[in-house]
Structures are given as structure tokens and as C-alpha cells.
Amino acid sequence: MEFIYEVEGGNFIKAGNASSAVKKTLKQLNVDPKIVKRTVVALYEAEVNIVAHAYRGSITVNINARSIRIILDDDGPGIPDIELAMRQGYSTASPKVREMGFGAGMGLPNIKKNVDELNMSSIVNKGTKVEMITYL
Amino acid sequence: MKIKEIAKVLNAQVVCGLEYVDNEITRGFASDLMSDVLTLDTDKMVLITGLANVQTIRTVEMSDVNCIVFVRNKQVTPQMLELARLESLVLIQCEYSMFKAVGILYAAGLLPVY
């Protein structure tokens, strides 16, 4: 099955709404709670990244008997150096993002830790695409 | 210790989730950085934080944490309350500094996460 969510850049009130909805769905599908937690923690960090850095984005969640595959696609400034962005402690977050309790350069490492596969591609001044796969 | 004992030793007010105050908590984690909270995998944990916004609530929701103590007299907003009710969370408002609050909870027997 497939679910699609829209994410608004800069709207911190709504940040996490998609992750919350996905968590409820995975619980309803009786997915192992440990896998639910890993998946939604990674998704929430990625959703916050869209809100923090991009203008808008979409989250597409595909669930089947073998895996949970999530694609986050945003229109935004893009990431010039993905390797650098993956480094713990590296951040380009605004003071507003830090006020929300994020922006310490832990999001991407945290995402990587919690999913089985992480693929990222980015075009500067266009946007970033993140694919996260968790095997069931 | 029970959540109601946490509120009592901190001289603090339970502002949401009164029906869950008999639940047991064994460990505490104090942070204003939500990404640090999201790295944890600990059951029966209370988050002690000075960060009072909607993302604090979302963070504990994703982390399967059910109780938050807001220190430094930070106030819970109506939006936070609404979300917390939906997620069956206990929210506690405490006037003490984070240092004082965690000191009291540690002395009362709450264990660290690491």
C-alpha cells in the first residue's frame, strides 16, 4: 500500500504530522514496535529536515510484506556536499530550527542509524531526495 | 518510582495525563536537544527538558516516551496539551532549574539512561 503526505517548509507547528500518521498506520498493521520506532524516528528527523531547510516536500510511504520504503522529495536549496552533511555535528540550521530543539547536526547520522538502507541525492538550488528502506 | 512521586518530589504540577500518574518510571534523561532524545531506546523513561514547544511532544511520541517534566517554569501551550492528550502523555510543569530537578530525581532513585 502507498501513502503520500505533503510537507510545508518552515511550518514547525505541522512538523511531525506525517510521521505521526505513519506511526499510527504501522501500529495498526501490527508491525514490530521496535521496527515502528526505528522507522518513525528516521522519518521524523527527515520530515523536520524538510521543514527546516526546504520550501516544500512530499513523503511517499510504500509498505509491503517485506519492507517499508519511504521517499522524501523536496524543493529546496539542496545539499552541496552530502558527505559533509552526513558528518555528526555539521549543521546549517537557522536559529529558528535550533529553538525547536534541532539543528545540532545529528539528524542525518540518526536517520542512517535507524534504517537498513539510505540513499540520498541532491541538486543545489533544486532539491533533495532521500530514500529510506527498512526490511520487515 | 511512580510518576506522581516525581511530581511530588519536584513540587511540580501535573498539567496533562492525571489518569496515568500511577505508571512506573525507572530512568531519566535531561536534554533540550530533541535529536539527542531521538537517539535513545529506553522504556519507562521520563524526559526532563526546558524546551516547551510542539516538537517536544512530537519527539517523545516518536521515541515511545510517555512522560515529560518541563523545568525552569516553562509553560505548556494549548497546542502541546491537545497533542499530548491524543498521545496519552503525562506533562509536568516544574519551577526548578534543570540542575536542581535532575539532582532531586537522581537522589530519589531514578537511574540514568547511560
Side-chain angles (χ1 to χ4, degrees):
Chain A
M1 59 188 89
E2 183 176 279
F3 304 90
I4 299 173
Y5 304 90
E6 298 300 321
V7 182
E8 241 179 87
N11 190 339
F12 274 99
I13 298 297
K14 287 190 185 166
N17 283 11
S19 305
S20 180
V22 171
K23 182 174 186 182
K24 287 178 179 74
T25 303
L26 294 177
K27 275 169 102 175
Q28 277 167 6
L29 292 170
N30 282 323
V31 174
D32 177 346
K34 283 193 187 319
I35 292 178
V36 173
K37 186 178 165 181
R38 281 173 53 208
T39 305
V40 299
V41 162
L43 174 57
Y44 178 53
E45 286 276 19
E47 185 180 355
V48 167
N49 275 349
I50 294 181
V51 176
H53 298 286
Y55 316 125
R56 71 191 69 79
S58 66
I59 299 174
T60 308
V61 184
N62 265 290
I63 307 167
N64 62 35
R66 284 174 304 154
S67 67
I68 305 162
R69 181 167 172 262
I70 303 176
I71 294 174
L72 299 100
D73 206 347
D74 74 48
D75 297 335
I79 305 171
D81 186 342
I82 290 179
E83 207 180 306
L84 181 62
M86 288 299 302
R87 207 174 291 168
Q88 195 166 324
Y90 179 82
S91 176
T92 58
S94 66
K96 174 83 188 153
V97 175
R98 291 170 202 267
E99 269 172 34
M100 288 289 149
F102 293 92
M106 294 185 58
L108 288 175
N110 215 3
I111 291 171
K112 195 169 184 192
K113 193 187 97 181
N114 281 293
V115 298
D116 294 319
E117 255 185 66
L118 173 65
N119 300 305
M120 284 177 70
S121 59
S122 189
I123 300 171
V124 173
N125 293 327
K126 196 152 185 276
T128 300
K129 191 171 174 176
V130 176
E131 180 190 39
M132 314 187 302
I133 303 173
T134 305
Y135 295 107
L136 297 171
Chain B
M1 61 198 297
K2 289 187 191 302
I3 292 175
K4 65 182 177 192
E5 290 161 350
I6 290 176
K8 193 178 173 201
V9 294
L10 294 179
N11 197 18
Q13 194 192 356
V14 177
V15 294
C16 179
L18 261 176
E19 60 271 48
Y20 309 113
V21 294
D22 281 317
N23 290 354
E24 283 287 336
I25 297 285
T26 53
R27 291 176 194 274
F29 188 77
S31 180
D32 285 354
L33 181 66
M34 294 302 106
S35 282
D36 271 341
V37 181
L38 289 165
T39 62
L40 305 176
D41 189 13
T42 308
D43 290 333
K44 296 183 180 173
M45 187 195 99
V46 58
L47 170 66
I48 300 113
T49 185
L51 188 84
N53 64 45
V54 170
Q55 296 316 314
T56 319
I57 308 292
R58 284 296 188 209
T59 297
V60 301
E61 178 192 349
M62 302 310 153
S63 309
D64 293 331
V65 170
N66 301 311
C67 181
I68 310 174
V69 172
F70 293 98
V71 292
R72 304 195 291 269
N73 204 24
K74 299 294 175 192
Q75 302 293 303
V76 171
T77 66
Q79 265 169 336
M80 290 165 69
L81 262 185
E82 196 186 320
L83 270 185
R85 283 205 188 97
L86 283 176
E87 300 303 326
S88 309
L89 305 180
V90 182
L91 305 186
I92 299 171
Q93 279 181 187
C94 170
E95 292 184 2
Y96 298 164
S97 66
M98 188 184 278
F99 184 79
K100 183 171 175 177
V102 296
I104 289 170
L105 292 175
Y106 189 82
L110 214 58
L111 298 168
V113 174
Y114 57 83

